[in-house]
């Protein structure tokens, strides 16, 4: 069983979202939800990809299988919200935010595993921040409740990835988490403000 330390997230400080983002997001909720559906799908796929790469890590296999289960449930929940809103779906045209973060994953093991876990932790942390902002600002009560519950789940996922990173390299994980948080800040601040979860 994976032991989660309290306040593990302190290892991963994030710059706050630009205050203008929520106005853009509320102005095109169809785009937000359509993008969000794919974020949840990709989160499930990322978790399963770690099982493919590291089947010998039974702690990781169990944690990632459960996490992928959470994420596929989130796909269902977002899909149901979209159906209730009778809004159009959209294809996924890629997410250069995640691509730019993944560029910093080192090639050699076990550094590669450490970096993959920490990049996923960063993405979970940013997703949680954005989903909580939506929860705090949406008018529809059911959508607010859904987004608040999703934000809580993504914080828990962030801590699962951090705990796995800690158990992968107990010496350097905090320093590397701090480096990746700085890299994320550069990537994030650099982006145009759009109606996307990481936009
Ligand atoms: Fe999720
Ligand atoms: Fe998640």
């Amino acid at each position: 069983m994976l032991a989660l330390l309290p306040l593990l997230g302190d290892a991963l400080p994030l710059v706050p979202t630009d205050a203008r983002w929520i106005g853009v997001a509320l102005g095109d909720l169809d785009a937000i939800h359509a993008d969000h559906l794919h974020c949840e799908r990709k989160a499930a796929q990322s978790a399963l990809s770690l099982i493919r790469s590291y089947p010998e890590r039974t702690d990781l296999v169990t944690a990632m299988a459960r996490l992928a289960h959470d994420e596929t449930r989130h796909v269902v929940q977002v899909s149901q919200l979209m159906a209730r809103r009778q809004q159009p779906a959209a294809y996924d045209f890629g997410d250069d935010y995640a691509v730019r973060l993944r560029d910093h994953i080192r090639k050699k093991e076990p550094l590669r595993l450490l970096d993959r876990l920490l990049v996923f932790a960063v993405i979970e942390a940013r997703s949680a921040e954005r989903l909580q902002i939506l929860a705090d600002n949406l008018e529809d009560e059911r959508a607010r409740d859904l987004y608040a519950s999703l934000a809580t789940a993504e914080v828990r996922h962030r801590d699962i990835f951090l705990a796995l990173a800690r158990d992968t390299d107990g010496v350097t994980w905090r320093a590397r988490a701090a480096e990746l948080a700085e890299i994320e800040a550069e990537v994030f601040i650099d982006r145009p403000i759009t109606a996307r979860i990481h936009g």
Side-chain angles (χ1 to χ4, degrees), residues 17 38 41 51 60 67 74 83 86 90 167-168 176 184:
T17 280
H38 289 292
R41 172 187 58 77
I51 297 177
L60 179 150
L67 192 142
H74 297 171
Q86 298 186 312
D167 295 349
T168 298
R176 187 59 179 157
E184 196 265 357

Side-chain angles (χ1 to χ4, degrees), residues 39-40 43-44 67 70-71 74 120 123-125 127-128 131 150 153-158 161:
C39 290
E40 299 290 359
L67 192 142
D70 284 353
E71 304 296 17
H74 297 171
F120 291 147
I123 295 172
E124 293 282 2
S127 304
L131 300 186
L150 294 177
E154 311 310 1
V155 168
R156 195 163 44 77
H157 293 166
R158 175 203 66 189
F161 282 115

Side-chain angles (χ1 to χ4, degrees), residues 104-163:
H104 295 272
I105 294 173
R106 291 169 291 184
K107 300 274 185 291
K108 204 163 168 252
E109 296 291 3
L111 301 178
R112 178 171 165 74
L113 170 58
L114 180 70
D115 286 359
R116 285 175 80 181
L117 292 167
L118 289 173
V119 164
F120 291 147
V122 168
I123 295 172
E124 293 282 2
R126 180 60 70 192
S127 304
E129 190 231 13
R130 285 284 171 94
L131 300 186
Q132 187 59 55
I133 294 171
L134 285 165
D136 292 341
N137 288 277
L138 286 168
E139 272 185 28
D140 179 79
E141 195 179 334
R142 280 168 69 189
R144 268 206 317 263
D145 289 348
L146 172 62
Y147 273 86
S149 75
L150 294 177
T152 302
E154 311 310 1
V155 168
R156 195 163 44 77
H157 293 166
R158 175 203 66 189
D159 287 354
I160 288 167
F161 282 115
L162 290 176

Side-chain angles (χ1 to χ4, degrees), residues 11 118 171-182:
L118 289 173
V171 177
T172 70
W173 77 275
R174 267 188 188 274
R176 187 59 179 157
E179 277 175 15
L180 286 167
E182 278 180 31

Side-chain angles (χ1 to χ4, degrees), residues 10 13 22 34 44 60 63 81 91 96-97 103 111 124 149 153-154 156-157 167 169 175-176 188 196:
D10 283 4
I22 187 60
L60 179 150
L81 170 66
Y91 286 102
D96 71 305
Y97 167 79
D103 281 347
L111 301 178
E124 293 282 2
S149 75
E154 311 310 1
R156 195 163 44 77
H157 293 166
D167 295 349
D169 184 343
R176 187 59 179 157
F188 190 65
R196 300 190 67 177

Side-chain angles (χ1 to χ4, degrees), residues 35-48:
D35 180 52
H36 184 190
L37 182 85
H38 289 292
C39 290
E40 299 290 359
R41 172 187 58 77
K42 285 182 279 196
Q45 288 180 317
S46 296
L48 294 175

